Amino acid sequence: MSLKITIAKNEEEFDRIAAWKIIGCMLSNPHAVIGLSTGQTTKNMHRIVSEIFRSNPFDVSGITLFGLDEITNVPRDYDGACYTMLKNQIVDALGIKEENFIMPPTLSDNYTEEAKKFQSELELRGGIDLQILGLGTNGHLGFNQPGTPFESETWISRMDGVLEARVRKETRITEGELGGLTLGIKNIMHARKIVLAAKGDSKAEIVKKMLCNPITTDIPASILQLHPDCEFLLDEQAAKHL
Ligand code: GLP
């Protein structure tokens, strides 16, 4: 089995390579459906996509952007909500129309229904052409924590303790359950192309496990070893144990 691994020599190069993957997908397919991820790993690549677009504008009226996951039970305009992050980092800069930015709501009284709607909206648009993924230090993808079955479809997962504590602190929400609505592993594996992006020292251990361990639900990202078109984009720190 051969894996496609790209090791950028620094953060700047990492962000540029990733940004050009997104731009390249939009240019080669004017109706592309592109899944983005939020977090520290992706925010600079989004900024660079916006900068490239500002200096070389092109028609994005047929492009669909969506977020891999969303926090539940917080206001949508909370700075840490994926909707708000993506809107501020990339969606508005590209002028993507509201109807072409697909996100589940943060607040709902029927998340199961919302999960189904989110998934079928993506299917209606022909499925995912490119999915950018971040990597949790425990190997999670989106909100699919260790133990999530590989055949999972869009669902509401629990939040890991560290993230939950941060969200509670920032939103001052003390009651109620906080969770994450996320594409399932099966949906992720159905994307035509995937770029798994991981940078920094803190990801080095899990990067090695993801790529070198046997495939197991204990490390959700290990399933990506089997994807026919997944590129693992790393910086030198994240790749240091390979
Ligand atoms: C969060 C998000 C994921 C993201 C991951 C990595 O849990 N739900 O979508 O990919 O963590 O985040 P970071 O890039 O900040 O390490």
Side-chain angles (χ1 to χ4, degrees):
M1 187 160 50
S2 73
L3 300 174
K4 184 169 184 199
I5 301 173
T6 302
I7 303 177
K9 55 179 186 299
N10 54 42
E11 233 181 301
E12 163 78 19
E13 188 181 82
F14 174 97
D15 295 329
R16 287 216 152 260
I17 293 173
W20 279 106
K21 303 264 171 212
I22 298 173
I23 296 274
C25 180
M26 294 194 271
L27 287 173
S28 62
N29 177 0
H31 297 285
V33 176
I34 302 177
L36 302 169
S37 287
T38 50
Q40 292 308 309
T41 311
T42 53
K43 64 177 195 201
N44 280 337
M45 75 172 76
H46 296 159
R47 179 180 50 77
I48 295 174
V49 169
S50 307
E51 284 169 10
I52 295 172
F53 183 79
R54 242 189 313 273
S55 41
N56 312 273
F58 55 92
D59 181 15
V60 289
S61 58
I63 301 287
T64 296
L65 296 183
F66 73 92
L68 167 74
D69 52 16
E70 182 56 288
I71 297 177
T72 58
N73 281 327
V74 300
R76 210 177 204 189
D77 61 2
Y78 157 51
D79 284 350
C82 301
Y83 172 86
T84 294
M85 283 197 268
L86 291 175
K87 207 165 154 49
N88 294 339
Q89 292 172 5
I90 182 168
V91 172
D92 284 351
L94 268 57
I96 300 287
K97 289 176 277 174
E98 193 66 25
E99 67 263 31
N100 287 342
F101 177 36
I102 312 290
M103 287 298 287
T106 54
L107 296 169
S108 169
D109 43 25
N110 192 344
Y111 286 112
T112 310
E113 203 43 50
E114 293 298 345
K116 278 194 199 137
K117 258 167 62 185
F118 180 53
Q119 182 170 320
S120 52
E121 186 61 44
L122 297 177
E123 282 161 3
L124 268 174
R125 288 170 190 242
I128 306 166
D129 292 297
L130 170 66
Q131 178 66 57
I132 307 287
L133 295 174
L135 175 67
T137 48
N138 62 359
H140 73 228
L141 296 176
F143 280 102
N144 298 289
Q145 302 295 346
T148 305
F150 289 143
E151 71 268 26
S152 58
E153 297 192 49
T154 313
W155 67 299
I156 322 333
S157 160
R158 66 191 164 79
M159 217 178 254
D160 69 78
V162 179
L163 181 60
E164 178 163 353
R166 198 179 84 207
V167 174
R168 287 202 189 277
K169 195 167 157 219
E170 290 174 356
T171 53
R172 303 203 186 121
I173 294 172
T174 49
E175 282 167 25
E177 217 176 276
L178 297 178
L181 195 158
T182 181
L183 287 192
I185 308 272
K186 181 171 165 181
N187 311 112
I188 292 171
M189 288 298 281
H190 282 185
R192 286 183 268 281
K193 180 171 178 63
I194 294 177
V195 174
L196 181 290
K199 66 178 168 186
D201 245 28
S202 63
K203 301 286 168 79
E205 287 286 337
I206 193 66
V207 162
K208 174 145 195 268
K209 288 184 185 159
M210 163 181 73
L211 297 173
C212 307
N213 276 32
I215 293 160
T216 164
T217 54
D218 293 343
I219 308 165
S222 64
I223 191 70
L224 297 175
Q225 293 177 32
L226 294 180
H227 191 280
D229 190 1
C230 178
E231 179 172 349
F232 298 89
L233 173 62
L234 312 172
D235 69 352
E236 283 184 348
Q237 277 85 30
K240 73 178 182 187
H241 295 321
L242 298 180

